[in-house]
Amino acid sequence: MKARRSTELVEKKDFYKELFSLAIPIGMQNLLVALIGASDALMLGRLTQDAVSAVSLANQIAFIMSLFSGAVVGGGGALIAQYWGKGDWTMVKNLFCMLIKWAFGISFVFFALAMFAPELLMRIYTPDTALIKIGASYLRAVSLSYLFTGVTQCYYLIMKLEGKAPKSVLISVVTLITDVVLDFFLIYGFAGVPKLGANGSAYSTVVVELVALIWCIAESHRGESIRPDLQGFQWFSIDITKDLFKIALPMLGSSLAWGFGFSMHSLIMGHLGSDATAAASIASVAQELITCVCKGISVGAGIMVGKLLGQNLFDKAKEYGKKFCHISIWAGIIHMALLCILGPIVAEFFVLSETAKHYLVIMLVFSAFYVFAYSINTVIVCGIFPAGGDAGYDALSVFFASWCFALPLALLGTFVFHWPVIVVYILMCADEIVKIPWLYPRYKKYLWLNNLTREESSEMVNA
């Protein structure tokens, strides 16, 4: 009995040690990335309300791009984690190269759109000519950063698998500091630097994304790190590509359904006026800052469960899944408490009209319930399920919760019934809460307990 209890304590200690080694650095990195967005919003918010509103709408383009690249990197990450657990380092490197090619291709498309058709993109979100002018100029300036972002995410993925998550945090710390310093000079025009306003924020973004990519490439050439090479870029396998898209396409469907829905939030708020847009933008920044912990736990869950599945340790993977379910609930409670405490503090840092301040306070109160549900859904649906290939449920739940419930009501409330701004906002954000009752029954089916790796290396062919 004592030996069994001792073994359980050791396993529990190992579990939390591995989780913390992944979740804390990844959560910190997500927080630092969110802080970059928050610092931009804060400095622009001290400039004019139109500036923060226009940049918030313009950044929806980068957000949509991240949905495409995130689905590819996320799907590839599930496969790489399992091959990593299996010890197939050649396949890990080949998959890494495949992800870089896909991520760069996606980034290039969005770069071209933002560079050559920014006014058209802005008109999708707002009819306000002042916001369109500011946002279009910002998009053209920031578009170059899109070419770097997707590739950097591929490097971050490998660094996490290699146990170098703290290094990615260091990169994010340096880029955050660089971004804040550059924003200070470029937005406001101190020390003889021209005052560029919103465009100053765009130029600082280009610089920090380039710095992050160069640093990641340099880090991959240190020691025995996995790094891309010519053979990896030339490698191609139909079977492995099919495996990738079996996971990535449902994740993409889910990401697009959720992301376009989230982007529709900006469209709806944009048609409700500058006060509503500014308040919702700041509430979104607060949500991003608060939910960094659950995103770190979600990535950690995917990596830890994926490695076990790649080794056919199904019972242990099931045990880990149960632990992550419990952790997700506690994460939700912590996020709710943090938003209640920090939300009112965040509101004081922005120059807003009295109407916008009133909107913001009420939005932050409802956001506390939103982040609780979001935390649970993120850890289980975006962490545990895709680790074993069950990526389809997320797309299904998002479709029904967002597109069949929350968004239709919000659109009707905005354009037909002209409901108050706060009522429309609550309806928009109710989708995460609606998903909760259906989540646990899906988990108990254990459709995510799958080994996705292939045994036959002869199936791999070079291009």
Side-chain angles (χ1 to χ4, degrees), residues 358-402:
H358 173 70
Y359 288 157
L360 179 57
V361 170
I362 301 175
M363 288 176 180
L364 289 171
V365 170
F366 181 77
S367 292
F369 298 96
Y370 172 86
V371 297
F372 173 77
Y374 178 85
S375 300
I376 298 173
N377 287 320
T378 299
V379 173
I380 298 176
V381 179
C382 302
I384 298 173
F385 288 0
D390 185 18
Y393 174 76
D394 192 18
L396 189 65
S397 66
V398 169
F399 174 75
F400 282 105
S402 295

Side-chain angles (χ1 to χ4, degrees), residues 11-77:
E11 289 179 351
K12 184 177 181 180
K13 182 180 179 181
D14 290 342
F15 171 84
Y16 284 106
K17 182 179 179 181
E18 184 177 4
L19 173 60
F20 290 151
S21 70
L22 288 167
I24 292 177
I26 294 169
M28 283 295 296
Q29 185 185 5
N30 287 328
L31 175 61
L32 292 167
V33 171
L35 282 173
I36 291 175
S39 67
D40 290 349
L42 177 59
M43 291 192 185
L44 291 170
R46 304 298 297 182
L47 191 65
T48 66
Q49 185 169 301
D50 279 353
V52 72
S53 299
V55 171
S56 173
L57 295 176
N59 278 335
Q60 295 303 307
I61 306 305
F63 172 69
I64 293 172
M65 179 186 73
S66 73
L67 302 178
F68 283 88
S69 59
V72 171
V73 174

Side-chain angles (χ1 to χ4, degrees), residues 45-367:
R46 304 298 297 182
L47 191 65
T48 66
Q49 185 169 301
D50 279 353
V52 72
S53 299
V55 171
S56 173
L57 295 176
N59 278 335
Q60 295 303 307
I61 306 305
F63 172 69
I64 293 172
M65 179 186 73
S66 73
L67 302 178
F68 283 88
S69 59
V72 171
V73 174
L79 277 180
I80 290 175
Q82 292 209 7
Y83 279 105
W84 193 285
K86 186 180 178 182
D88 191 341
W89 312 120
T90 300
M91 183 56 65
V92 168
K93 184 259 297 180
N94 289 339
L95 280 168
F96 179 33
C97 293
M98 178 190 287
L99 294 187
I100 290 176
K101 289 188 290 186
W102 278 101
F104 183 78
I106 292 167
S107 299
F108 184 82
V109 171
F110 281 87
F111 156 75
L113 289 171
M115 174 62 76
F116 300 110
E119 292 87 359
L120 179 63
L121 296 177
M122 285 300 298
R123 288 194 185 97
I124 296 173
Y125 294 101
T126 180
D128 190 315
T129 54
L131 297 185
I132 290 173
K133 182 178 179 180
I134 297 171
S137 180
Y138 172 87
L139 274 175
R140 189 173 284 111
V142 82
S143 61
L144 190 62
S145 71
Y146 296 171
L147 296 175
F148 313 136
T149 306
V151 178
T152 303
Q153 294 307 309
C154 297
Y155 277 96
Y156 281 156
L157 170 65
I158 292 297
M159 290 169 71
K160 292 162 189 173
L161 286 164
E162 291 178 329
K164 293 183 178 180
K167 182 67 70 173
S168 66
V169 174
L170 177 60
I171 296 173
S172 297
V173 168
V174 172
T175 54
L176 171 62
I177 295 171
T178 305
D179 182 72
V180 171
V181 172
L182 289 175
D183 275 351
F184 184 75
F185 286 97
L186 295 177
I187 291 176
Y188 301 124
F190 288 108
V193 177
K195 183 179 180 180
L196 300 176
N199 280 7
S201 175
Y203 295 135
S204 69
T205 300
V206 173
V207 172
V208 297
E209 291 294 347
L210 179 59
V211 168
L213 177 57
I214 292 173
W215 195 335
C216 286
I217 293 173
E219 187 64 34
S220 72
H221 283 81
R222 297 180 60 183
E224 298 299 321
S225 298
I226 301 294
R227 64 181 68 96
D229 58 20
L230 182 60
Q231 183 276 327
F233 283 123
Q234 292 179 333
W235 173 87
F236 176 74
S237 165
I238 293 177
D239 291 325
I240 296 298
T241 303
K242 288 179 180 178
D243 290 343
L244 171 64
F245 282 99
K246 281 180 183 178
I247 306 172
L249 286 179
M251 291 182 73
L252 177 60
S254 171
S255 296
L256 290 179
W258 177 81
F260 279 120
F262 198 80
S263 191
M264 286 289 288
H265 294 187
S266 297
L267 183 149
I268 291 170
M269 289 292 113
H271 283 81
L272 289 173
S274 179
D275 288 331
T277 301
S281 300
I282 296 167
S284 178
V285 170
Q287 291 172 7
E288 283 293 314
L289 292 173
I290 295 298
T291 55
C292 292
V293 176
C294 76
K295 292 175 182 177
I297 295 172
S298 175
V299 175
I303 291 174
M304 291 170 65
V305 172
K307 286 181 178 179
L308 294 174
L309 294 173
Q311 300 173 70
N312 292 319
L313 299 175
F314 297 116
D315 289 337
K316 192 171 183 179
K318 187 185 291 187
E319 179 186 343
Y320 274 27
K322 184 178 179 180
K323 289 180 179 179
F324 280 118
C325 286
H326 294 156
I327 290 170
S328 71
I329 296 173
W330 282 107
I333 294 172
I334 292 171
H335 287 150
M336 178 182 283
L338 284 174
L339 190 57
C340 290
I341 296 170
L342 299 178
I345 298 174
V346 171
E348 293 301 318
F349 283 94
F350 292 87
V351 177
L352 299 172
S353 67
E354 289 301 318
T355 301
K357 284 185 178 179
H358 173 70
Y359 288 157
L360 179 57
V361 170
I362 301 175
M363 288 176 180
L364 289 171
V365 170
F366 181 77
S367 292

